Amino acid sequence: MPEFIGEHILTLIIFIPLFGALALLAVPGERHEFIRRASFAVTLVPLVLSVFIFMNFDRGASGFVSGEGLQFVEKYSWIEQFSMNYFVGIDGLSVSMVMLCALICPVCILASWNIDKGVKGYFFLFLLLETGMMGVFCALDFFLFFIFWEVMLLPMYFLIGIWGGPRKEYAAIKFFLYTLVGSVMMLLVIIYFYLTLHTFDMTELVASGSSLNYRMLCWWALFIAFAIKIPLFPFHTWLPDAHVEAPTAVSVVLAAILLKMGTYGILRINYTMLPDITLQMATAMAVFGMINIIYGALCAMAQRDLKKLVAYSSISHMGYVMLGMASFTAEGLNGAVFQMFNHGIITAMLFLIVGVIYDRAHHREIDSFGGLASAMPNYAAVTFLAFFAALGLPGLNSFISEVLVLIGAFQKYRLITAVSATGVIITAAYCLWTLQRIFLGKLDEKYSMLSDMNTRETLSLLPLALLVVILGVYPHPVLNLMQSALGFINGIILKGGI
Amino acid sequence: MQSPEVLNNVESLRYLMPEIFLSVSIIALLLLSFFRREGSSDIRFFYLSAICVITVAIFLELFTYAGGQAVTIFYGMLRQDAFSHLFKLICLAATFLFLVFAFTSRETTGRSLRSMEYILLIMANTLGMLFLVSSANLLMLYLSLELLSFTSYILTGFVERDDKATEAAVKYLLYGGIASGVMAYGLSLLYGITGSLDYFVIYNYLSSNAVSQSLLYVSVIFVLAGFGYKIAAFPFHLWCPDVYEGSPTPFTAFLSVGPKAAGIAMAFRFFYGILLSHEGGEVLDISGGIEWPILIAIMSAFTMTIGNLAALQQVNMKRLLAYSSIAHAGYMLMALASHTRFGINAAFFYLVVYLVMNLGAFLIVIIVYDEYHTDTIDGYDGLAWRGRQGAFLASMFTVYLFSLTGIPPFAGFIGKFYLLLSVFKQGSSLYWLAVVAIVNTVISLYYYARIVKLMFFSSGRKGIPHPAGGAGRYFQYAVLTCLTLATVILGIYWAPLDNFGKIAAGFID
């Protein structure tokens, strides 16, 4: 049995949520409590398995070949006529994302406990979503990657559209249309790659794109497909809408994991398959990153709705990832991927925090709160921690990743980095100002009765809070995971080949 | 295309078992119907016997298919090869499902459609499709097309004293009459150029002699009119929405798949058989540069764009699906425009997938019409929240709609992938068509998702009762489940179907 698990661990991680979802269909819809507990149990399985992966991951291995950089590889023939394979495996780039995903999903299930409309459907879709997300991070066959990428769309569409807020229909279709535009562009590139290089295998596609025509076009098609997901500045407008309307847990997944797929995709596909164009476009990417940092932060400052503020802060933080990626230095790349991981944890906390206050006050107007610290002391403590982490306070995890990004980027782009660094100040401004407006000052009478966090909420926030502190002090375990893989990717870019 | 073995009339008969069986059954059932009493038990008997006949025909078809080699029968009139067998199976499957739908739908069994002639006409219609698919002679092509068309006109207007149906039938007849007239003219021009009606002789003549470019071009355009009308392609699509809306829903479902499959098959036979040479596995245009693939590509681009744009504004579900089927005809034309060997594979694959998902979608429309007596899109408001059956119907419909959009993991996506692949295989001259198709996919998401949104996102208007009928629907639900499973399974593992497509593509060798 342990051998079986060891050999098929990624398949299990990907498909156990799917089987859980299908099994859920057989449960009578009225048994809400059972459905919630069962889905929580199902999401715990990938978490446990990801701990197993964390223990057994070979941190020194680099490269993009099964057995070397790629670990826990499984490869079976799927459609022979097109030489498509069921090919999954993880390297240093994806392992942190898989772990993030495995961690966030149970947290989200906890945060969805108060869903009581269409409970069965909700958890069914949620588990389906987990399958899609895990699949994207593990797939090493371009076609398989695309299938998972799209499979994720449908549950997300329904989760926003059915359980969302007042403008849910608009938000859901906007999210769907934006992402579909990106993915059909990706599909064209996939087909083009297949017809010229005769393979969908990502390990074979690495750096083999130099013989292609239309490389610039392919690069931009892929880049825009991923940029929509990140989202980069001109393609970002779906994000605030989706976040504001989505229920708490869905916002968490969206911000913590789905956004990462954009940057993951660029690193995995644009960087390795079209390295020469990536190098040419480096400055453009850095500028995109800079715009995101400043624009996102300024927008966040102007928000009255707490959830929208967090949404824009996500845009700003993803800008750091972009900036770090564009630097092609070891510090920058490590910082970028570490920032992806950190942002996943911090933004999850922030959205959970928004959910807690929304459940009690039934609105999210920042200005109408005040003095909540005296009514909800524990809640105040967690919120302070999360916002401090978001603004990059030394000793908390995102400080390390942001500093790494800035150090890396400064070596290449002095001006852009200097401008981007002002984003740190704006971020600090809106974070502190928000905390002040919500927690300090005079407590409004009508909020004096608000209860502090309950056990379930504490349980969902506590692991994330611990990670924020631990990784802030000792980031080594996570940084160590990705170092060699990122060095390899950087090598491809700088040398223009393997 | 190698010169196939040409068989005389007597030898030919054994290769024509399904068609013969169908004809004999039609006559037998016609005779039986003279002794029919007024009563609903009779009609059940006739529906069941028709279903049996089609089932037997499917088995006979499989049997002759397994029989092996490609043969040309009746002195070159018909060609029975893997291509025609496979497309005939699609047509027979469409008829089979139509009969099942009509049998279980209250709309057909409850209205004046209980008459025997309706069933007989459908079977005659099927016979027309079978001949059309295997025609290898211009005359045979024209005759079978007319058999198919005339029965369709009558079937469309079959509902007595129904204004919409009558209007639809007249429109269908007028458009059809003009289109087939134009086509006949095109065929006669082709005969004038080459001196033969036989595909193989025409092919040989064109590949070895220089012919008048303009004449050939005109005849190709005229032939396109007839075939574009059959599959409802721009600019011959105008009859389609009215006919779809006016016909009884099961027949609409049938129209959207059966004749379309036959039309596509006929077009492949005609264009691939006459205008393309395939020596040594390489497909070359022998028309001498009349650019007919570009013509079809333009037709394809317009068809899908107009279909999708018009579908955006529809309020009636049947009209919406009509425009959606126009758009899908446009997608399928991509395969023809690609004039690659893979194009045949892609068209076959797409048709099978389209059969499954489109008929599934129509079955939902049929059931919803039976339960709620509405076929407007608003009638689907909050369907998902009307009890367990509503939720089931809405979920199934969602699968079909997203499959029609072309979103993984549903079969529609793989079908679209095949079509794009066929266009890409042709090379950079048709890349623009792939981009048009992609843009259309995004447009189509908007109206398909609108239905999903209505079904799921609004909790529904007050006062709509839960569906009453539980018993008696189980059969329809079972069919729905099967079609959904097929949609999902073909989206995940489609290798077997691909093999059949490859075999079908062998007809050009």
Side-chain angles (χ1 to χ4, degrees):
Chain A
M1 196 61 189
E3 258 177 44
F4 177 81
I5 293 176
E7 276 167 24
H8 301 283
I9 190 153
L10 291 181
T11 304
L12 289 173
I13 283 189
I14 297 171
F15 289 106
I16 279 180
L18 178 66
F19 282 113
L22 293 176
L24 219 53
L25 286 181
V27 179
E30 310 83 53
R31 301 186 59 188
H32 292 179
E33 197 59 24
F34 175 77
I35 291 174
R36 291 178 187 128
R37 287 184 186 181
S39 6
F40 183 62
V42 169
T43 52
L44 282 182
V45 177
L47 182 61
V48 172
L49 292 175
S50 78
V51 171
F52 176 86
I53 287 182
F54 182 71
M55 312 287 274
N56 291 291
F57 190 79
D58 178 2
R59 285 153 177 78
S62 81
F64 203 57
V65 182
S66 313
E68 288 184 40
L70 293 174
Q71 298 171 42
F72 306 101
V73 171
E74 285 172 60
K75 188 172 184 177
Y76 310 103
S77 179
W78 175 26
I79 306 287
E80 275 175 34
Q81 289 90 332
F82 294 94
S83 58
M84 290 172 190
N85 295 304
Y86 172 76
F87 184 18
V88 292
I90 48 178
D91 66 349
L93 175 58
S94 40
V95 66
S96 58
M97 292 298 111
V98 169
M99 280 162 41
L100 181 69
C101 187
L103 174 71
I104 295 294
C105 284
V107 169
C108 287
I109 299 277
L110 281 180
S112 329
W113 223 260
N114 51 7
I115 297 280
D116 45 14
K117 173 191 176 192
V119 176
K120 188 158 108 175
Y122 180 91
F123 287 100
F124 170 78
L125 290 169
F126 211 99
L127 293 175
L128 212 59
L129 183 65
E130 186 174 6
T131 292
M133 296 188 299
M134 287 295 192
V136 167
F137 290 127
C138 295
L140 289 174
D141 184 278
F142 211 168
F143 200 78
L144 190 67
F145 175 87
F146 184 78
I147 299 269
F148 280 125
W149 179 274
E150 295 273 289
V151 161
M152 212 175 51
L153 268 180
L154 296 177
M156 207 62 199
Y157 172 68
F158 285 109
L159 285 171
I160 297 175
I162 300 180
W163 289 274
R167 286 168 72 241
K168 56 188 185 178
E169 298 174 2
Y170 172 75
I173 191 70
K174 194 170 178 183
F175 164 78
F176 204 162
L177 278 175
Y178 265 70
T179 321
L180 190 73
V181 168
S183 43
V184 290
M185 288 165 75
M186 178 158 52
L187 177 65
L188 287 183
V189 177
I190 293 177
I191 294 177
Y192 180 67
F193 276 9
Y194 171 68
L195 284 178
T196 35
L197 304 168
H198 307 288
T199 180
F200 289 108
D201 189 329
M202 286 191 186
T203 57
E204 290 173 27
L205 284 169
V206 168
S208 61
S210 51
S211 58
L212 298 174
N213 305 317
Y214 310 109
R215 290 216 301 295
M216 188 61 92
L217 206 62
C218 288
W219 192 88
W220 277 103
L222 289 169
F223 184 75
I224 291 174
F226 296 128
I228 289 171
K229 207 83 172 180
I230 295 175
L232 287 185
F233 163 64
F235 312 109
H236 69 284
T237 59
W238 63 268
L239 181 96
D241 286 312
H243 270 309
V244 170
E245 303 307 326
T248 302
V250 177
S251 287
V252 172
V253 173
L254 191 58
I257 302 166
L258 262 68
L259 304 192
K260 309 298 171 293
M261 287 175 182
T263 40
Y264 172 79
I266 291 179
L267 282 170
R268 172 66 81 222
I269 290 167
N270 286 41
Y271 272 46
T272 60
M273 293 181 195
L274 297 162
D276 50 338
I277 312 285
T278 310
L279 200 56
Q280 288 174 35
M281 290 295 128
T283 317
M285 287 197 291
V287 171
F288 271 121
M290 177 187 79
I291 295 173
N292 254 42
I293 294 173
I294 305 290
Y295 174 83
L298 286 175
C299 283
M301 187 126 83
Q303 298 309 317
R304 292 152 176 275
D305 183 325
L306 185 57
K307 208 168 183 186
K308 221 167 182 172
L309 180 139
V310 178
Y312 276 109
S313 85
S314 280
I315 295 181
S316 172
H317 283 122
M318 291 308 285
Y320 288 102
V321 179
M322 217 47 227
L323 183 65
M325 277 162 53
S327 72
F328 305 118
T329 52
E331 295 89 351
L333 273 173
N334 280 306
V337 179
F338 192 38
Q339 169 78 356
M340 280 158 71
F341 188 80
N342 290 337
H343 176 251
I345 291 172
I346 295 169
T347 200
M349 279 184 82
L350 290 174
F351 277 114
L352 289 173
I353 283 165
V354 176
V356 169
I357 193 72
Y358 184 70
D359 284 347
R360 287 166 176 67
H362 304 292
H363 71 83
R364 299 181 294 246
E365 288 289 314
I366 301 172
D367 288 324
S368 71
F369 294 113
L372 281 187
S374 57
M376 308 167 72
N378 292 343
Y379 177 66
V382 176
T383 313
F384 271 80
L385 179 72
F387 272 98
F388 280 139
L391 66 84
L393 192 76
L396 301 178
N397 59 356
S398 78
F399 169 73
I400 294 166
S401 52
E402 282 174 21
V403 163
L404 279 173
V405 164
L406 292 176
I407 291 175
F410 193 68
Q411 300 169 21
K412 288 282 165 65
Y413 318 103
R414 301 267 154 123
L415 183 65
I416 293 174
T417 314
V419 176
S420 304
T422 62
V424 177
I425 300 166
I426 310 173
T427 309
Y430 73 74
C431 284
L432 293 174
W433 192 33
T434 309
L435 288 175
Q436 182 198 334
R437 282 183 288 172
I438 295 179
F439 290 103
L440 308 181
K442 197 168 158 291
L443 179 63
D444 192 325
E445 273 303 303
K446 64 182 173 193
Y447 296 126
S448 58
M449 299 307 289
L450 293 188
S451 56
D452 211 339
M453 294 194 297
N454 61 28
T455 326
R456 181 175 56 75
E457 287 158 350
T458 318
L459 214 61
S460 61
L461 278 161
L462 199 64
L464 303 178
L466 283 176
L467 271 177
V468 165
V469 178
I470 293 171
L471 291 179
V473 183
Y474 186 60
H476 183 72
V478 175
L479 275 177
N480 196 17
L481 280 178
M482 56 189 65
Q483 236 153 18
S484 52
L486 293 176
F488 173 73
I489 290 176
N490 206 9
I492 295 180
I493 305 269
L494 297 178
K495 282 180 247 151
I498 300 178
Chain B
M1 194 157 64
Q2 290 160 5
S3 170
E5 200 184 348
V6 177
L7 300 177
N8 67 30
N9 288 348
V10 180
E11 283 170 322
S12 299
L13 286 176
R14 69 191 174 96
Y15 293 101
L16 208 66
M17 289 313 283
E19 285 87 345
I20 294 170
F21 175 73
L22 207 55
S23 317
V24 170
S25 308
I26 292 171
I27 295 166
L29 283 174
L30 184 64
L31 290 176
L32 259 181
S33 74
F34 294 149
F35 304 104
R36 168 175 177 262
R37 288 183 310 275
E38 289 298 320
S40 64
S41 62
D42 266 22
I43 197 72
R44 291 176 67 85
F45 164 75
F46 280 116
Y47 264 115
L48 283 174
S49 46
I51 291 174
C52 291
V53 167
I54 296 293
T55 315
V56 173
I58 288 176
F59 278 108
L60 282 174
E61 192 58 64
L62 285 171
F63 185 70
T64 31
Y65 172 37
Q69 291 302 310
V71 287
T72 305
I73 54 179
F74 294 112
Y75 299 110
M77 282 292 173
L78 297 172
R79 200 177 136 93
Q80 302 285 40
D81 49 17
F83 178 84
S84 50
H85 288 307
L86 287 166
F87 275 85
K88 274 153 82 177
L89 282 172
I90 296 182
C91 298
L92 284 169
T95 311
F96 177 79
L97 284 168
F98 161 76
L99 287 170
V100 169
F101 290 2
F103 181 50
T104 52
S105 143
R106 286 177 211 156
E107 186 190 354
T108 23
T109 48
R111 280 159 73 181
S112 50
L113 300 176
R114 41 182 28 181
S115 77
M116 190 53 222
E117 291 76 15
Y118 195 70
I119 301 166
L120 293 177
L121 280 167
I122 275 290
M123 289 164 77
N125 192 296
T126 310
L127 194 63
M129 293 196 291
L130 299 188
F131 280 121
L132 186 60
V133 166
S134 45
S135 305
N137 184 294
L138 297 181
L139 204 58
M140 196 61 216
L141 165 80
Y142 189 71
L143 283 176
S144 42
L145 188 71
E146 290 300 282
L147 175 57
L148 174 58
S149 301
F150 273 91
T151 44
S152 302
Y153 305 147
I154 305 170
L155 285 164
T156 307
F158 209 84
V159 187
E160 289 166 45
R161 286 184 286 283
D162 182 328
D163 289 348
K164 270 189 176 173
T166 313
E167 184 196 338
V170 171
K171 271 190 181 161
Y172 200 15
L173 175 68
L174 287 177
Y175 277 110
I178 294 168
S180 73
V182 171
M183 186 176 183
Y185 188 47
L187 295 179
S188 64
L189 279 179
L190 198 59
Y191 176 68
I193 298 169
T194 60
S196 174
L197 290 169
D198 189 279
Y199 281 14
F200 186 66
V201 179
I202 297 175
Y203 164 76
N204 277 338
Y205 186 86
L206 286 178
S207 53
S208 52
N209 297 292
V211 295
S212 158
Q213 291 300 307
S214 47
L215 263 184
L216 188 60
Y217 202 36
V218 169
S219 75
V220 164
I221 291 175
F222 283 2
V223 171
L224 260 183
F227 132 80
Y229 151 80
K230 205 71 248 166
I231 67 162
F234 173 85
F236 314 105
H237 65 283
L238 294 161
W239 57 273
C240 178
D242 292 319
V243 170
Y244 278 28
E245 192 189 358
S247 312
T249 320
F251 184 61
T252 310
F254 171 75
L255 265 187
S256 73
V257 178
K260 206 159 270 191
I264 289 278
M266 144 194 154
F268 268 97
R269 239 187 221 298
F270 183 85
F271 288 102
Y272 276 57
I274 292 179
L275 296 174
L276 291 178
S277 99
H278 351 82
E279 303 299 324
E282 213 168 316
V283 179
L284 285 174
D285 189 358
I286 56 160
S287 61
I290 61 164
E291 300 291 344
W292 61 270
I294 296 294
L295 197 66
I296 292 176
I298 292 169
M299 197 172 169
S300 155
F302 272 104
T303 307
M304 57 178 107
T305 311
I306 284 175
N308 279 324
L309 289 180
L312 287 176
Q313 304 150 20
Q314 298 308 315
V315 290
N316 180 294
M317 189 60 89
K318 280 159 83 176
R319 279 187 92 84
L320 183 134
L321 287 174
Y323 279 111
S324 128
S325 88
I326 293 175
H328 283 273
Y331 297 141
M332 287 182 238
L333 280 176
M334 285 163 72
L336 187 61
S338 77
H339 64 289
T340 54
R341 190 191 172 87
F342 187 77
I344 306 167
N345 193 347
F348 171 74
F349 192 96
Y350 201 84
L351 266 170
V352 173
V353 168
Y354 178 72
L355 170 107
V356 171
M357 61 193 182
N358 210 43
L359 288 183
F362 268 109
L363 184 52
I364 304 269
V365 178
I366 292 168
I367 296 175
V368 169
Y369 186 82
D370 280 357
E371 296 287 355
Y372 304 105
H373 302 288
T374 173
D375 49 15
T376 59
I377 294 174
D378 284 340
Y380 289 73
D381 198 5
L383 181 67
W385 306 99
R386 293 181 207 160
R388 290 181 66 166
Q389 295 184 41
F392 175 77
L393 287 176
S395 321
M396 298 288 130
F397 204 15
T398 304
V399 171
Y400 302 132
L401 290 173
F402 282 138
S403 182
L404 284 166
T405 318
I407 290 177
F410 305 122
F413 164 68
I414 306 297
K416 214 161 259 180
F417 170 72
Y418 266 62
L419 293 176
L420 289 173
L421 204 56
S422 74
V423 167
F424 266 86
K425 280 203 171 169
Q426 179 48 42
S428 52
S429 63
L430 283 179
Y431 281 172
W432 62 271
L433 188 58
V435 174
V436 173
I438 282 296
V439 172
N440 269 288
T441 302
V442 177
I443 299 175
S444 72
L445 170 73
Y446 189 77
Y447 63 83
Y448 290 128
R450 192 163 59 111
I451 305 170
V452 176
K453 181 193 85 179
L454 265 178
M455 293 192 299
F456 281 92
F457 295 0
S458 66
S459 35
R461 288 171 302 181
K462 298 266 184 316
I464 295 177
H466 286 204
R473 290 243 167 265
Y474 290 117
F475 183 65
Q476 285 175 327
Y477 290 160
V479 175
L480 268 184
T481 312
C482 291
L483 292 173
T484 307
L485 280 179
T487 309
V488 175
I489 290 170
L490 285 177
I492 295 169
Y493 189 72
W494 64 93
L497 194 54
D498 182 80
N499 285 334
F500 283 116
K502 275 215 182 76
I503 296 167
F507 91 92
I508 57 171
D509 293 333

